[in-house]
Amino acid sequence: MTRLIELTLNGRTRVDAVADNLLLLDYLREVVGLTGTKTGCDGGECGACTVLIDDRPRLSCLTLAANAKGRRVDTVESLGHDGRLSAVQRGFHEKLGAQCGYCTPGFIMASAGLLRRNPRPTENDIREALGSNICRCTGYVKIIEAVQYAAELNAAGVAP
Ligand code: FES
Ligand code: FES
């Protein structure tokens, strides 16, 4: 069955007809054309597909598009404005938190969600918030440093 959903995606209201079994991940990538959200394991194990729903990190490979009805969904494409990177994007860029970059949008959205809820996270807070995200390249130290730096930028007024 197909149903109409209205949601706020990256700050803009959209109305789309979606099949009941359409995953949010496939809706974002194939219906809307936002390919920043990555398909990794496709089974809730890697975090590459992380988006924010009402500021909470959610795995879009385990979420039905229909369940986004009436919600605010933010993808990595929502971050940064007027050519300026967000605090988390700058953190990953300047602290070398990415290598191949495939996992990076998921880490960035999980980190942005953390800073929206908790602008001054401890290292443990960061490790816990990123516990559902897997990176096969960096070894995580640079990723933690990237989020710590992003929190400093955020405290100085740069949006997460
Ligand atoms: S693709 Fe969603 S958790 Fe891996
Ligand atoms: S940077 Fe390559 S998987 Fe994370």
Side-chain angles (χ1 to χ4, degrees):
M1 219 174 109
T2 297
R3 67 180 69 199
L4 278 182
I5 59 166
E6 179 174 328
L7 70 160
T8 303
L9 177 58
N10 294 345
R12 294 193 176 173
T13 302
R14 289 185 62 102
V15 178
D16 287 294
V18 299
D20 283 346
N21 63 353
L22 180 68
L23 294 172
L24 181 60
L25 174 61
D26 296 329
Y27 167 77
L28 293 169
R29 292 181 58 86
E30 293 168 21
V31 177
V32 186
L34 293 174
T35 55
T37 304
K38 300 304 182 201
T39 308
C41 64
D42 217 6
E45 302 286 344
C46 74
C49 65
T50 303
V51 299
L52 299 183
I53 299 182
D54 296 336
D55 287 337
R56 294 272 167 188
R58 293 287 180 257
L59 300 176
S60 60
C61 76
L62 296 184
T63 304
L64 292 173
N67 287 344
K69 182 178 179 181
R71 315 292 287 275
R72 186 160 42 85
V73 178
D74 292 316
T75 71
V76 71
E77 287 91 347
S78 70
L79 302 181
H81 294 286
D82 301 325
R84 288 196 300 272
L85 298 178
S86 73
V88 177
Q89 289 173 315
R90 277 183 60 184
F92 275 76
H93 177 61
E94 294 177 30
K95 297 297 179 182
L96 307 178
Q99 289 189 25
C100 81
Y102 198 84
C103 69
T104 308
F107 271 98
I108 284 178
M109 294 315 290
S111 303
L114 170 65
L115 294 186
R116 288 182 192 182
R117 301 190 306 280
N118 175 7
R120 297 186 184 277
T122 64
E123 181 175 335
N124 273 347
D125 293 335
I126 296 170
R127 288 183 181 278
E128 193 172 314
L130 301 183
S132 298
N133 294 74
I134 293 173
C135 175
R136 297 173 69 96
C137 303
T138 64
Y140 300 99
V141 172
K142 294 291 184 188
I143 289 175
I144 302 295
E145 291 174 359
V147 181
Q148 290 171 324
Y149 181 58
E152 291 173 19
L153 292 172
N154 186 217
V158 182

